Amino acid sequence: MIFSYSLKFAKSLIFPKSEKKSVARRSLFGAVLCIGLSIVPLVVVTSITNGMIDGMTQRIIGLSSSHIQAYVAPGISKVQSAEDFIEYADEAGEVRGVTGVYPEVEISAIAAGKNGRSGIELRAIEKDIFKRNKSFNSLFEVCEGELNAFISPDESAKRSPAVIGKKLAEELELHAGDAFRVITTRTAGDKIVPKLTSFTVAAVVSSGYQELDQFWVFIPIEAAYNSLSMESASYNVMFETEDAFSPNLVSIQKKLAGNFGRYANVYRWDQIHTAEFENFSSTKVMLVFVMMLIVLVATINISSAIVMLVMERQKEIAILKSIGAKPRGITLAFLTAALACGAGGLVIGLPIGIILTVFSNQIVHGLESLVNLISAMGGGGEIHLMDPAYYLSEIPVEIPGIQIILISVSVLILSVLVSYIPARKAGREKPLDILRKN
């Protein structure tokens, strides 16, 4: 039996001309449906996981450490004033490939608002960073107030401006224009004495990833030097490059380290956030592995359907072999039928999975509204399905083309592999034995 006749026989297996009811055909179409339904969550989980991880990665790199970060020694003369520190950072950042230099002073402190106190991470930065830095400009959403009040503050104002995270503003019941106090500590003799400094909330912002920004308070770097105790301060310089994933990042890091000399330790973003990204990668692998197991179970249905199809078509197999059909031709016909079932499952599952991914935010918000409605009827509180304390508040929609191709190829290969044994058995059937039995 040549290849064209194998294809014709495979077509007759799936779409026979006779109207006779076939249990095997129903099983075959049931297997197609199972594969389609198993592919839907695989596509959705893969797409949403990629979007979530990429969104978190973008925020962690862009807003926390930038592409390269230098930890400068606190005791050197270059960090004793804001002007000297900024000048020192700019000189060290004169390296080809560096597109932005952002000096920063970090201080652990306590913020006191209308409703109690909270530990905070003070980030003293240049006022125009929200304009110059691409990540700060695009990833921060202004919830209240205006960033211009921070970038171009009123020089006659008694208090310096501050930009605070949304979660912290909710905890302390602060709004744009409100005053709050920052408590730092300084050493006076043998005692540790608190130092209070007042700031005005210029804007309330959110990166969409609460775990990252919930304790951040941004203040002008000049205000930190003029008003706060710098005893526990750490001095960092963030360096932005053209591409955080560029292979040139290592050489840029070495050049920056050479410019700083022994006065700073310079690290790439992947060295600073190793634990987070290993966690992201392992989570993604486990989710995809579980989804692929579901697809494997679904493809096994094809194997059982092919077994039933072989039993139903024994007479046809005997006749074809009697007129010269070769065993491999019969085997190829059943494998082609199995491959067609896998392809049919892809035709059903891929479009549904992609559509659900594209409208995932709307679906989540709709389900959240429905759950909250039921909860309100039962006297319960508000429920967030996408709690920003653990996830991004909005799912970044991303259709991973390469991974979808890999999923499709894997499904087709699995469909053929699980059907190989019954298909090979069909090719080895002896026509005389079949005709005697029937």
Side-chain angles (χ1 to χ4, degrees):
M1 179 182 285
I2 60 176
F3 182 69
S4 60
Y5 287 110
S6 294
L7 293 181
K8 288 181 180 179
F9 183 42
K11 182 180 177 182
S12 70
L13 292 174
I14 303 172
F15 304 107
K17 294 180 180 180
S18 63
E19 297 296 328
K20 183 180 178 181
K21 292 183 179 180
S22 171
V23 176
R25 279 186 63 214
R26 286 201 297 269
S27 299
L28 214 55
F29 288 119
V32 171
L33 184 61
C34 287
I35 291 173
L37 292 177
S38 66
I39 289 171
V40 172
L42 179 58
V43 172
V44 172
V45 167
T46 303
S47 302
I48 290 179
T49 302
N50 280 350
M52 279 286 187
I53 290 176
D54 289 348
M56 291 176 181
T57 302
Q58 188 180 13
R59 284 159 175 79
I60 290 173
I61 296 173
L63 303 179
S64 179
S65 65
S66 198
H67 303 170
I68 298 174
Q69 188 168 27
Y71 296 89
V72 183
I76 63 174
S77 60
K78 296 291 187 180
V79 300
Q80 298 308 309
S81 70
E83 294 76 14
D84 290 343
F85 185 29
I86 293 171
E87 183 181 354
Y88 180 51
D90 289 338
E91 289 176 357
E94 292 179 353
V95 172
R96 185 177 181 181
V98 173
T99 58
V101 181
Y102 310 100
E104 175 183 336
V105 179
E106 291 186 2
I107 305 173
S108 296
I110 296 174
K114 297 178 182 179
N115 183 27
R117 300 176 180 180
S118 174
I120 61 171
E121 182 182 347
L122 270 176
R123 299 183 64 183
I125 54 176
E126 293 180 279
K127 292 190 287 288
D128 61 350
I129 192 172
F130 288 96
K131 275 188 175 180
R132 289 194 298 123
N133 189 294
K134 294 178 182 178
S135 298
F136 275 66
N137 190 16
S138 60
L139 297 178
F140 274 125
E141 177 189 355
V142 179
C143 305
E144 285 187 41
E146 295 182 358
L147 288 175
N148 285 332
F150 181 86
I151 297 169
S152 303
D154 184 1
E155 298 297 334
S156 62
K158 295 181 179 179
R159 294 183 292 266
S160 297
V163 175
I164 66 175
K166 182 180 177 182
K167 178 64 175 176
L168 182 64
E170 292 173 352
E171 287 182 1
L172 301 181
E173 295 184 0
L174 294 174
H175 301 277
D178 290 348
F180 69 100
R181 292 174 297 172
V182 170
I183 305 170
T184 52
T185 58
R186 60 185 177 86
T187 304
D190 296 333
K191 297 181 180 180
I192 296 176
V193 180
K195 183 175 182 180
L196 276 67
T197 309
S198 295
F199 291 90
T200 300
V201 178
V204 177
V205 298
S206 172
S207 67
Y209 186 25
Q210 185 177 295
E211 185 177 347
L212 184 67
D213 63 15
Q214 61 181 329
F215 298 118
W216 284 351
V217 174
F218 298 96
I219 62 172
I221 193 169
E222 297 82 4
Y225 277 92
N226 296 334
S227 307
L228 300 176
S229 170
M230 305 293 284
E231 291 184 5
S232 60
S234 60
Y235 303 85
N236 311 319
V237 183
M238 297 187 296
F239 296 98
E240 192 176 40
T241 64
E242 294 178 357
D243 182 11
F245 300 92
S246 171
N248 297 326
L249 205 63
V250 175
S251 62
I252 295 173
Q253 176 196 13
K254 291 180 179 178
K255 291 177 182 177
L256 289 171
N259 288 352
F260 279 109
R262 61 190 178 90
Y263 299 113
N265 294 319
V266 182
Y267 299 99
R268 300 185 310 276
W269 64 267
D270 57 318
Q271 295 173 314
I272 299 171
H273 306 291
T274 302
E276 290 94 327
F277 293 110
E278 285 182 354
N279 184 32
F280 290 160
S281 299
S282 60
T283 301
K284 181 178 176 180
V285 169
M286 285 302 299
L287 284 171
V288 173
F289 176 71
V290 171
M291 292 298 107
M292 284 303 298
L293 286 179
I294 296 173
V295 173
L296 176 61
V297 172
T299 54
I300 290 175
N301 289 328
I302 295 180
S303 178
S304 61
I306 293 296
V307 169
M308 296 178 69
L309 199 60
V310 170
M311 293 174 65
E312 279 192 357
R313 298 302 184 93
Q314 282 186 332
K315 286 185 178 180
E316 294 179 32
I317 294 171
I319 293 170
L320 288 171
K321 296 195 78 173
S322 299
I323 60 175
K326 295 183 178 180
R328 63 183 179 182
I330 300 292
T331 300
L332 179 61
F334 282 96
L335 289 178
T336 304
L339 186 66
C341 289
L346 290 172
V347 170
I348 295 172
L350 287 181
I352 296 174
I354 292 171
I355 291 171
L356 290 178
T357 300
V358 171
F359 295 99
S360 55
N361 283 303
Q362 292 86 338
I363 293 170
V364 169
H365 292 323
L367 289 173
E368 194 172 86
S369 299
L370 179 61
V371 169
N372 283 319
L373 177 62
I374 296 172
S375 178
M377 292 171 63
E382 188 176 3
I383 299 171
H384 295 284
L385 296 181
M386 296 298 295
D387 192 340
Y390 309 103
Y391 309 100
L392 297 180
S393 54
E394 290 288 326
I395 301 171
V397 176
E398 179 181 320
I399 306 298
I402 294 176
Q403 292 187 7
I404 286 179
I405 292 173
L406 290 174
I407 289 170
S408 302
V409 172
S410 300
V411 169
L412 295 177
I413 292 174
L414 283 173
S415 299
V416 173
L417 289 178
V418 299
S419 305
Y420 178 73
I421 293 176
R424 190 182 180 192
K425 186 178 179 181
R428 289 185 170 186
E429 292 279 7
K430 296 179 180 179
L432 289 176
D433 292 343
I434 294 171
L435 294 174
R436 284 172 186 165
K437 290 178 183 177
N438 291 276

